[in-house]
Amino acid sequence: MHIFQNKSLKPYNTFGIEAKAEQFVEVNTPEEVQVLCQTFNLVDRKLLVLGGGSNILLTGDFSGMVIKVNLKGLDVIREDENHVWVKAMAGEKWHDFVVYCVNRNYAGVENLSLIPGCVGAAPMQNIGAYGSEIKDTFEELFAIEIESGKLVKFNNKDCGFGYRESVFKNELKGKYIIISVTFKLSKKPNLNTTYGAIQETLNKKGISQPSIKEVSDAVISIRQSKLPDPKELGNSGSFFKNPEISNEKFQSLKSQYPELPGYPTSPGQTKIAAGWLIEQCGWKGKVVGNTGAHKNQALVLVNYGEATGAEILNLAKAIQDSVKEKFGIQINPEVNII
Ligand code: EPU
């Protein structure tokens, strides 16, 4: 385990922002994580645990220790007639895990195909797309408590999952390093093709009884058509969360803007599309210096070259202000601002 000083984080964040880490260490086994926690007094140190770096915005150099989690492995640990439990180590790429399941006909994560990032980061914000969230297939995870170096198990309830939320982003923030996540997949699939353009994409291909693989392929083609590939254009997926507003506010906006997309969530609340709000404020495809809101999906902020985190943050603030001014709605980042 080598600790680097002043390491550039540019290759480790999908926004492609240049920032330096005071200290940087890669961990390859759970034991290395434990040694790190027990040898250094990490509790008193500023820490950033990195997986794929696909949900962070670095706003400057990081004056602390960056821990890059490289733990690998995908294994079936249990199965019965209807289900199979797959344990994925935190450093596996999320999409490689999805492909592993899809290729074996294990259902439950096909709608989450092609989401960037690593398995260990997925529970942090309960990643979701096309009507699925990881809380739907999540069985348990193991994490190392930074203070003690102890391995602790969290079940679904312990994680406090919500829309792009979990305890690891809130009350337990900075207290644990996720080591592995176990998912309960189904051998008897109950495919969900109702959300977004999945059904339409399958119809176009003349598929009426899709397989797990065909649903995954449809999701991949929708994502590729809308979302920029971070390898080509720096970005962190949706920058903001979709806001929830009261049904009354939704109805009043809807009478003014009949095309406003909204989905009922908890009783009395409707989630509305932040991308639509941002587009209405004129930001879609707009370029501001090295930054901009993507031309196909206004919710995705992009780095056109050498943008700094501060420039992206300025753009995000300007977008928040204009949405607030036009619609009276506060939109908040989904991305972790460091
Ligand atoms: N829309 C616009 N203009 C835009 C973008 C969207 O009018 O510039 C409209 C669309 O036409 C559609 C609605 O807004 O009617 C929703 O758009 P979309 O289906 O693209 O989904 P989203 O709500 O913008 C969410 C997730 C994505 C996920 C997609 C698909 C959040 C914050 N984002 O986006 O997740 O892939 O649904 O399920 O919940 C991510 O979290 O990084 C992410 C990409």
Side-chain angles (χ1 to χ4, degrees):
M1 216 173 10
H2 181 74
I3 299 184
F4 295 88
Q5 312 289 329
N6 284 322
K7 172 110 171 155
S8 166
L9 295 174
K10 192 167 179 168
Y12 299 101
N13 73 100
T14 61
F15 250 127
I17 303 277
E18 178 58 283
K20 289 205 165 43
E22 190 184 336
Q23 293 183 308
F24 179 94
V25 60
E26 298 198 42
V27 284
N28 299 300
T29 62
E31 294 70 33
E32 280 189 356
V33 178
Q34 280 173 317
V35 169
L36 192 68
C37 294
Q38 284 156 357
T39 318
F40 295 86
N41 190 8
L42 296 186
V43 179
D44 296 331
R45 204 173 289 224
K46 228 178 123 190
L47 287 184
L48 173 62
V49 179
L50 266 190
S54 60
N55 206 41
I56 55 166
L57 176 66
L58 297 163
T59 54
D61 289 343
F62 187 77
S63 56
M65 182 184 275
V66 172
I67 303 172
K68 169 89 173 78
V69 174
N70 282 340
L71 282 64
K72 300 285 186 210
L74 294 168
D75 289 295
V76 171
I77 56 163
R78 202 173 131 199
E79 77 185 279
D80 65 19
E81 204 186 323
N82 298 320
H83 294 102
V84 51
W85 284 259
V86 176
K87 181 175 179 181
M89 299 306 285
E92 285 288 340
K93 278 199 181 130
W94 173 262
H95 184 64
D96 291 349
F97 160 66
V98 171
V99 169
Y100 176 96
C101 296
V102 167
N103 286 346
R104 287 164 179 76
N105 269 320
Y106 304 154
V109 287
E110 55 286 344
N111 288 24
L112 305 177
S113 297
L114 213 63
I115 294 185
C118 288
V119 166
M124 305 286 291
Q125 77 260 21
N126 180 25
I127 59 168
Y130 305 102
S132 294
E133 290 181 332
I134 74 147
K135 72 166 174 35
D136 308 329
T137 47
F138 177 96
E139 177 77 11
E140 64 189 23
L141 67 75
F142 284 92
I144 289 173
E145 190 186 25
I146 291 170
E147 189 173 359
S148 62
K150 274 194 198 129
L151 195 63
V152 182
K153 181 163 104 174
F154 290 80
N155 65 23
N156 199 313
K157 209 162 150 256
D158 298 331
C159 293
F161 291 128
Y163 167 57
R164 297 294 192 277
E165 290 293 348
S166 77
V167 283
F168 303 105
K169 235 180 141 174
N170 294 293
E171 55 267 41
L172 299 185
K173 190 173 175 174
K175 297 212 180 311
Y176 287 89
I177 297 177
I178 295 174
I179 296 299
S180 69
V181 187
T182 302
F183 297 88
K184 182 181 176 186
L185 290 316
S186 181
K187 291 182 180 172
K188 301 199 172 132
N190 179 14
L191 300 173
N192 174 7
T193 60
T194 55
Y195 195 96
I198 299 184
Q199 195 56 56
E200 194 188 316
T201 307
L202 292 168
N203 291 347
K204 270 194 208 143
K205 290 186 180 166
I207 299 167
S208 55
Q209 301 266 300
S211 63
I212 298 170
K213 171 94 170 59
E214 284 165 335
V215 172
S216 169
D217 287 344
V219 169
I220 290 173
S221 74
I222 300 165
R223 288 187 75 94
Q224 284 175 334
S225 71
K226 274 201 201 173
L227 298 169
D229 179 349
K231 285 193 204 94
E232 284 152 28
L233 192 58
N235 76 88
S236 260
S238 301
F239 193 89
F240 300 100
K241 293 201 272 188
N242 286 326
E244 273 193 318
I245 58 173
S246 69
N247 291 350
E248 294 76 51
K249 170 110 183 157
F250 178 63
Q251 287 314 328
S252 112
L253 278 173
K254 191 92 181 154
S255 59
Q256 225 180 324
Y257 305 98
E259 68 291 3
L260 170 65
Y263 319 90
T265 47
S266 39
Q269 295 286 108
T270 300
K271 193 189 278 179
I272 58 171
W276 185 90
L277 299 172
I278 297 168
E279 181 175 351
Q280 295 306 304
C281 294
W283 291 101
K284 192 172 185 171
K286 196 165 174 174
V287 179
V288 182
N290 284 311
T291 70
H294 192 249
K295 62 178 173 31
N296 298 335
Q297 171 45 296
L299 196 50
V300 177
L301 305 190
V302 296
N303 172 7
Y304 284 111
E306 299 298 313
T308 61
E311 279 178 275
I312 303 265
L313 202 55
N314 282 341
L315 173 71
K317 285 192 175 133
I319 290 175
Q320 282 174 310
D321 289 348
S322 63
V323 168
K324 180 95 190 176
E325 196 184 319
K326 187 169 168 77
F327 297 102
I329 293 171
Q330 176 67 40
I331 54 169
N332 293 314
E334 184 211 293
V335 166
N336 296 301
I337 294 164
I338 312 288

